[in-house]
Amino acid sequence: MSRALCALFVAGTLALGLTACAATGPGVVDDAAQPDQTSAPVPTSAGADDASAAAQAGSSLCQAGREADVCVIEAQDAEGDVTLDAYRIVKILDSSLRGVVTISGAQQVVVQGATIAGDLMLTQNAGLVVKDSTVSGSVTASGGEHATLVANTVAGDLTCDGARVDGNKNDVAGANACAGLR
């Protein structure tokens, strides 16, 4: 194989792996790393006042993979509070979570196409994107460096504190305390 072709192959593989947050290395097939496609809610045993149970619930929903500091929750349906605070990267994609969802301290957070029947608490996350999601409670983005909120429906309040926030096409039923955010 020529060096140019090899370099293109390596760059393409790396880009695909980074884009999909692939949890397997080149040439390794890991069926456990694929999202659990389930139509029944995943029980989480987390109570409203039980922080350790909420953290355990978050851990059990994360897609298993080689990197322990990456959490991908995709196409999941779960009951109970969820806390995700031990991850460098957190992605919640096309999932339905019924309870308070708390994400803190991550370098990158993406919540897209999610339905959250509770509050969404986002604290001290460096980069944050919430897009095309529905939250029946309030959304709080505090601390951190930058947040982008686009085309979301929030039944409660939208609060931004300390992070630079951009976005548009958000439908907020409660108070909107995010300056310049529509």
Side-chain angles (χ1 to χ4, degrees), residues 58-91:
S59 180
S60 69
L61 285 171
C62 291
Q63 176 177 320
R66 284 180 23 190
E67 296 185 48
D69 62 347
V70 175
C71 175
V72 178
I73 300 173
E74 185 173 11
Q76 295 289 322
D77 187 12
E79 298 267 351
D81 296 344
V82 173
T83 297
L84 302 165
D85 64 358
Y87 299 97
R88 180 176 49 88
I89 297 172
V90 175
K91 292 187 177 189

Side-chain angles (χ1 to χ4, degrees), residues 92-131:
I92 300 175
L93 309 169
D94 302 318
S95 294
S96 178
L97 306 176
R98 289 177 296 285
V100 174
V101 176
T102 304
I103 305 171
S104 62
Q107 290 177 2
Q108 178 188 35
V109 175
V110 175
V111 178
Q112 183 170 351
T115 300
I116 298 172
D119 293 337
L120 178 58
M121 308 296 293
L122 307 157
T123 58
Q124 300 301 321
N125 298 297
L128 165 67
V129 175
V130 181
K131 182 177 180 185

Side-chain angles (χ1 to χ4, degrees), residues 2-63:
S2 73
R3 286 185 182 193
L5 184 58
C6 184
L8 283 172
F9 176 77
V10 170
T13 303
L14 180 60
L16 181 61
L18 289 174
T19 300
C21 282
T24 60
V28 177
V29 175
D30 183 3
D31 290 334
Q34 298 302 315
D36 181 21
Q37 302 291 330
T38 174
S39 59
V42 175
T44 61
S45 74
D49 296 324
D50 191 352
S52 64
Q56 178 60 36
S59 180
S60 69
L61 285 171
C62 291
Q63 176 177 320

